[in-house]
Amino acid sequence: MEITPAGSPVGPPRQRPGKGRGTAPPRRAALALVGALTLTGAVVCLDLFPHERHGSPAPGPAASPGRAAASGPAGGPPPSPGAPGIGDPLMPLAGNGGYTVRRYTLDFDWQAPRTPFEAGATISATATQALSRFDLDFAGNTLHRVTVDGAPAAVVRDGDELVVTPARPIPRGRAFTVHVAYTADPTQQRHRDDAIRDYGWVPTPDGTVVCAQPDGARMIFPADDHPSLRAPVTFHVTTPADITAVANGRLVSTAKRPGGRVEWTYDSEQPIAAQLVQLAIGRFHVVDSSGPRGLPVRDVVPDGLVGDTEEYRSLTPEHLAWLEQRLGPYPFPRYGVLVGDTELPVALETQSLSVLPKDDLLGDRVDAERNLVHELTHHWTGDSVAIRRWSDLWLSEGHARYYERLYSDAHGGVSMDDAMRDAYEQHDQWRHDDGAPAEPTADTLFKVMRYDGSALVLYALREKVGAAAFERIEKSWVSTYRGRVAGTGDFIGLASRVAGQDLKPFLTAWLQGPHTPPMPGHPDWRTDPVENAED
């Protein structure tokens, strides 16, 4: 995700003209169910959705009739509830325990802008413990029906948690399938007071785009909503004939449906974190081209913006080649830019199809390229190498900002040294206000410390070990953890091994210390005094 400061190389996030502060819809404290029957504090959901999709992943084997799985495997513990979160200190209820998701299959019957529509999510999973019940992250929307392996399940909504009790406990190691039928609300958003601002469903004049970071995927579909948890996604989206649907990955097929409608099927091709899911619906023109070694490049552009955005969009192959020289081969089967015909406050690295606000591609070339390179860099660091915990966000945003700055330095922008010196001067203030780079709070995740403040850590590392060793660290980082999850400790360990020296004291001081350390090679750099310090 990209924020662009205004007026100086670094500074507070840019305020886009005319962008109002949205308000999140009130949390539904009760079950939004139609025709549901309440029994002993739970809810049994009746069949109010036409059908579960034919051809969805097959459910796991069901328990034999009349034979309840009242205990776990021989000698194992009896069934128990899966945890409502994976224990991330910043977002304790993000993700869920007791199972792993093998695939999401999402069905959306889109009707018109800002209009509720019928939706379904089929979640293929494997139990990692004997489960008496389990949670899904799911916020808002009108819930109709939940089944587990085809049998109605009892459900209770508790804030953002959808607590599902299957008809029979699920043994450890068993594959099972959950189907959730609901009415989606394409106006549903939430608000943060950092760079993200309004997120979730983002309406456009003729449809929508999705900006789910950091925890907005649960407003789109029931999910295991944490950046470390990934699974492939299949999308089935039905639209009017004059409307196009696009999503992450590859277009598998289009098919005519009754009433002159069209069903679009996409496959994400690789596992994807819920926050990086993209679904865009509208009157689009799809522009196909190619990058290095014939890499497919697909841009998705509102019909009236194709020509006006072409100059900067056409730079993607150059950006890919430049980043591959520094980080190694691009890690996904395809890439492209989705132009958002809306006043998005930020760009976002939705996997294989980054979304950029139209204003980013209609203005100054230096600013446009900064944003384009930033979101593309995330596909190495953040999308392919996923963060382990939210406190590791500096690894994602810091790398994206570092390479954005480095590219801009060589293409008409502010020099890297000047940008980093400016960041150094403000670093103690940012550290005071928003936490050290690897010590954010939930409310300060997307403050400038995670951007220029974290890029400064990488700059300091390069000054410490030298350019050649730094390049080896970076290439080793993205190749070693490609398609995997990694955190701050992993980075420190890898950097130390590659550089041949113990970098833990150096990087720990930069990432977690109360004050900004001296900058190697720049003894004259000074931090500004901290204003409004409590002491």
Side-chain angles (χ1 to χ4, degrees), residues 14-41:
R14 178 173 64 198
Q15 181 79 16
R16 293 186 181 275
K19 180 65 178 178
R21 290 182 53 164
T23 57
R27 176 178 291 179
R28 290 177 172 86
L31 286 163
L33 297 174
V34 181
L37 175 64
T38 304
L39 295 173
T40 62

Side-chain angles (χ1 to χ4, degrees), residues 76-287:
S80 60
I86 65 170
D88 190 309
L90 298 190
M91 297 187 186
L93 295 180
N96 301 285
Y99 64 91
T100 57
V101 176
R102 293 181 287 116
R103 177 172 290 273
Y104 297 99
T105 300
L106 306 180
D107 293 81
F108 295 129
D109 191 18
W110 175 266
Q111 299 298 318
R114 301 176 182 270
T115 301
F117 59 92
E118 295 310 296
T122 303
I123 302 161
S124 302
T126 301
T128 57
Q129 67 177 67
L131 283 170
S132 60
R133 69 172 189 257
F134 57 89
D135 284 24
L136 294 167
D137 298 317
F138 191 49
N141 301 297
T142 301
L143 182 63
H144 296 313
R145 175 179 181 253
V146 178
T147 63
V148 177
D149 289 339
V155 295
V156 173
R157 301 196 79 158
D158 182 8
D160 284 359
E161 298 296 313
L162 184 64
V163 185
V164 180
T165 302
R168 291 183 174 87
I170 302 170
R172 180 181 178 184
R174 174 72 59 87
F176 64 100
T177 299
V178 185
H179 183 78
V180 181
Y182 60 103
T183 299
D185 177 3
T187 67
Q188 189 175 207
Q189 293 187 344
R190 288 181 174 172
H191 180 81
R192 292 179 59 92
D193 288 328
D194 55 18
I196 295 290
R197 296 173 62 187
D198 301 316
Y199 65 106
W201 293 100
V202 180
T204 64
D206 50 23
T208 190
V209 298
V210 165
C211 287
Q213 195 180 61
D215 58 350
R218 64 196 64 183
M219 292 186 276
I220 315 302
F221 63 100
D224 215 2
D225 193 5
H226 188 273
S228 68
L229 303 173
R230 299 187 281 193
V233 182
T234 299
F235 303 83
H236 301 287
V237 187
T238 305
T239 68
D242 61 340
I243 295 294
T244 298
V246 295
N248 311 84
R250 177 176 64 92
L251 175 63
V252 176
S253 65
T254 58
K256 293 181 180 180
R257 291 291 178 249
R261 294 171 65 78
V262 177
E263 182 182 65
W264 308 78
T265 297
Y266 287 86
D267 183 81
S268 68
E269 300 182 289
Q270 292 193 8
I272 183 170
Q275 65 155 347
L276 300 177
V277 163
Q278 182 55 257
L279 171 65
I281 297 170
R283 291 183 174 86
F284 293 125
H285 187 79
V286 178
V287 182

Side-chain angles (χ1 to χ4, degrees), residues 153-422:
V155 295
V156 173
R157 301 196 79 158
D158 182 8
D160 284 359
E161 298 296 313
L162 184 64
V163 185
V164 180
T165 302
R168 291 183 174 87
I170 302 170
R172 180 181 178 184
R174 174 72 59 87
F176 64 100
T177 299
V178 185
H179 183 78
V180 181
Y182 60 103
T183 299
D185 177 3
T187 67
Q188 189 175 207
Q189 293 187 344
R190 288 181 174 172
H191 180 81
R192 292 179 59 92
D193 288 328
D194 55 18
I196 295 290
R197 296 173 62 187
D198 301 316
Y199 65 106
W201 293 100
V202 180
T204 64
D206 50 23
T208 190
V209 298
V210 165
C211 287
Q213 195 180 61
D215 58 350
R218 64 196 64 183
M219 292 186 276
I220 315 302
F221 63 100
D224 215 2
D225 193 5
H226 188 273
S228 68
L229 303 173
R230 299 187 281 193
V233 182
T234 299
F235 303 83
H236 301 287
V237 187
T238 305
T239 68
D242 61 340
I243 295 294
T244 298
V246 295
N248 311 84
R250 177 176 64 92
L251 175 63
V252 176
S253 65
T254 58
K256 293 181 180 180
R257 291 291 178 249
R261 294 171 65 78
V262 177
E263 182 182 65
W264 308 78
T265 297
Y266 287 86
D267 183 81
S268 68
E269 300 182 289
Q270 292 193 8
I272 183 170
Q275 65 155 347
L276 300 177
V277 163
Q278 182 55 257
L279 171 65
I281 297 170
R283 291 183 174 86
F284 293 125
H285 187 79
V286 178
V287 182
D288 291 314
S289 60
S290 61
R293 299 175 310 283
L295 177 79
V297 175
R298 170 193 58 161
D299 290 343
V300 178
V301 192
D303 286 346
L305 294 171
V306 176
D308 291 342
T309 61
E310 180 180 5
E311 179 182 359
Y312 299 156
R313 288 188 294 101
S314 68
L315 299 172
T316 292
E318 178 184 331
H319 299 158
L320 281 161
W322 186 88
L323 282 165
E324 286 193 338
Q325 290 177 354
R326 289 153 181 84
L327 296 174
Y330 175 74
F332 295 99
R334 67 195 68 245
Y335 184 65
V337 170
L338 166 65
V339 180
D341 187 10
T342 182
E343 293 182 349
L344 288 167
V346 294
L348 186 62
E349 63 275 14
T350 44
Q351 191 166 301
S352 79
L353 185 63
S354 294
V355 57
L356 274 83
K358 62 181 179 181
D359 289 349
D360 285 358
L361 300 173
L362 297 174
D364 176 73
R365 174 166 173 162
V366 170
D367 289 342
E369 289 201 85
R370 282 185 57 189
N371 291 345
L372 287 162
V373 171
H374 183 106
E375 303 312 329
L376 179 54
T377 302
H378 271 302
H379 282 70
W380 282 264
T381 61
D383 290 16
S384 177
V385 182
I387 60 173
R388 190 178 303 282
R389 293 290 183 266
W390 274 114
S391 58
D392 300 317
L393 183 65
W394 77 272
L395 281 164
S396 177
E397 296 298 349
H399 273 98
R401 180 53 58 88
Y402 178 88
Y403 287 100
E404 163 205 332
R405 290 285 188 191
L406 192 63
Y407 182 92
S408 189
D409 180 348
H411 293 82
V414 174
S415 77
M416 186 71 161
D417 287 348
D418 286 348
M420 292 298 97
R421 182 167 187 163
D422 192 23

